[in-house]
Amino acid sequence: MTNHSALARSWRPLILKDVIGQELTVKALTNALDHQILHHAYLFTGTRGVGKTSLARILAKSMNCQAGTSANACLNCDSCLSIASGYCMDVIEIDAASRTKVEDTRELLEQTQFHPIKGKYKIFIIDEVHMLSGHSFNALLKTLEEPPAYVKFLLATTELDKVPATIRSRCIHFPLQNISNDILIDYLGKKLKTMNIEFEQPSLNMIAQQAAGSVRDALTLLEKLLLLHPKELKSEAVAKTLGLTGQKNIHDLIFNAMTGRLDALKMIFTELKLNQTNYLALIEQALYFVHQEALKPLSKQQSQFDESFLQLAYDIFIKALENAKFTPNQAINFEMTFLRLTRFTPTVNEQPATAQSNVSNELTHSTWTKLLPNLKLNGMSLALAKALTVISHQAHQLNIQLPPNLKSLANDNTQSNLIKCIQDHGFLVQNLNIQWNEAKHENSQDSDKQNAEALCEQLKNHLKKHPQTSALLQTLQADIDALNLS
Ligand SMILES: [Zn+2]
């Protein structure tokens, strides 16, 4: 098994071009290093784990590489190696959170009078610089204004607004971006491949969502997951470990809310309670799910979910994330959110939630056969419509039976055409459940008969209207309605 220990450390980018998700910063620093246009102070800001200190260390290596200052540090010289190991006399790294006092800062600044030993520059990396006291900032300011030519300051902070404007204005400021999910997913996928670890794509999506833009968080989560699942990351297992529910459960939760299936929701609530669920993360997942479903029409895909419902669900989930700060228990917030969904969806309001109350809008096979001649369908969808037998219609699901030889016709497209068409006739059907079975519903033969009769009627009307036929019929004194055309 590969050694997964401290992935965040071992996968840390070594040179600028390895840094992910910070194109602008990397480009600016590459140009500065390659053209030797170096400022004496840089300030890196951004949320936790986006790579502030990693960038500062890379910059220190690039500045002090004995092979020459460039964006591509050699990584092999004494200077590069000692910076990488954290024991470099020329690079002094401090965490301002533990050195807030002015005495600490003065002590640090005293070292600026000594020239670097191995590299070109004496580099001071001050992490969480916003933690310095007012006096410390004042002490720093003087040196920051006019440092010796061999001194460079690399400051990093998560809280830019706590850094005095006087300090900020003396630094070149690089605001680092949160890493997008797509970039994180791509990055994790590539890393896992190099380690020959199998994975299911949704598992990476879950890690990226949980990491919320932080590479470090993503890697820490991955490390934890690999300890439990060293050979393969399966979506269900990952969901369980992260206290999330799988994509299928998210679908079911939202679908059950939309269709007002309270019993089904109750069962899922119970299951989630037993599984130490991370409710907040689950609401976030639901938010992503709703977004993905809402995007489907843009790529000509049919969503199973009502468009207005998706918009409403989005608002309700956003509100739930806000409410999470005030709730005494995250499970309460979660359950209330999904119950609220069942109350406010347009579909549910029009058609009350229980199956019994949908009876008036239940699609039976005999209703179906009456609808058939009026369906605006053609081609394969029409062929399916004609061949299907309605078995039952419960809470937005239409259970139908089709002969197995039509399997090739029942693709996503034809099924969504059918659903759309059924909905156009006022029936609340969100999905089809197909049983492939040769046996035909007895009503279906009636339907064939009805179809044949309708066709005869059409033909007779056509003949009556046709001038030549009607003249012929008059000559023959024949009554067309008496003809048996079937
Ligand atoms: Zn080097």
Side-chain angles (χ1 to χ4, degrees), residues 87-276:
Y87 299 103
C88 179
M89 300 289 280
D90 296 337
V91 178
I92 293 141
E93 188 173 335
I94 68 148
D95 178 7
S98 58
R99 308 275 295 271
T100 57
K101 288 187 204 147
V102 66
E103 294 78 21
D104 297 326
T105 309
R106 281 203 192 108
E107 194 184 313
L108 181 80
L109 293 173
E110 268 170 27
Q111 298 188 52
T112 58
Q113 50 189 307
F114 305 110
H115 281 255
I117 301 165
K118 282 179 185 162
K120 235 178 180 177
Y121 302 104
K122 186 110 184 173
I123 300 166
F124 294 84
I125 299 176
I126 309 181
D127 201 10
E128 297 303 345
V129 70
H130 67 274
M131 296 295 283
L132 291 182
S133 68
H135 290 303
S136 296
F137 272 125
N138 284 338
L140 180 64
L141 193 60
K142 265 186 219 160
T143 317
L144 209 55
E145 257 171 342
E146 273 182 274
Y150 54 81
V151 167
K152 302 285 176 202
F153 285 98
L154 310 180
L155 314 178
T157 180
T158 44
E159 298 186 48
L160 178 64
D161 51 351
K162 289 188 184 161
V163 179
T166 44
I167 298 281
R168 275 188 263 164
S169 66
R170 280 164 180 83
C171 302
I172 302 246
H173 177 201
F174 288 111
L176 302 189
Q177 309 294 316
N178 278 5
I179 318 295
S180 75
N181 278 4
D182 288 345
I183 292 178
L184 269 182
I185 290 165
D186 181 58
Y187 172 72
L188 295 174
K190 281 181 188 155
K191 290 289 182 188
L192 286 172
K193 275 181 192 149
T194 63
M195 295 167 81
N196 290 323
I197 295 170
E198 302 280 321
F199 58 91
E200 288 178 351
Q201 196 62 34
S203 58
L204 300 192
N205 300 358
M206 282 182 256
I207 298 174
Q209 276 172 30
Q210 290 271 288
S214 161
V215 196
R216 188 172 56 220
D217 285 8
L219 292 177
T220 310
L221 273 178
L222 186 63
E223 198 177 324
K224 174 179 157 191
L225 288 165
L226 289 178
L227 287 173
L228 293 163
H229 318 284
K231 294 205 173 90
E232 188 178 11
L233 293 181
K234 290 229 179 229
S235 306
E236 283 304 317
V238 169
K240 210 165 180 187
T241 312
L242 297 180
L244 301 171
T245 183
Q247 198 71 357
K248 171 80 173 66
N249 282 354
I250 291 281
H251 167 277
D252 289 354
L253 268 165
I254 300 177
F255 186 76
N256 287 328
M258 180 175 81
T259 50
R261 294 178 181 179
L262 298 179
D263 286 348
L265 274 182
K266 192 177 156 198
M267 274 170 62
I268 302 181
F269 288 169
T270 312
E271 190 192 327
L272 293 175
K273 273 196 187 121
L274 294 174
N275 282 324
Q276 294 189 327

Side-chain angles (χ1 to χ4, degrees), residues 51 91 314 317 392:
V91 178
Y314 183 81
F317 292 145
S392 63

Side-chain angles (χ1 to χ4, degrees), residues 65-66 74-75 77 80:
C65 176
Q66 288 166 325
C74 78
L75 305 181
C77 69
C80 283

Side-chain angles (χ1 to χ4, degrees), residues 285-299:
Q285 264 194 306
L287 195 74
Y288 282 111
F289 182 88
V290 161
H291 172 235
Q292 291 304 317
E293 286 297 317
L295 286 179
K296 279 188 175 174
L298 300 185
S299 49

Side-chain angles (χ1 to χ4, degrees), residues 61 64-68 72-81:
K61 248 185 280 175
N64 264 4
C65 176
Q66 288 166 325
N72 292 303
C74 78
L75 305 181
N76 290 317
C77 69
D78 273 0
S79 178
C80 283
L81 290 172

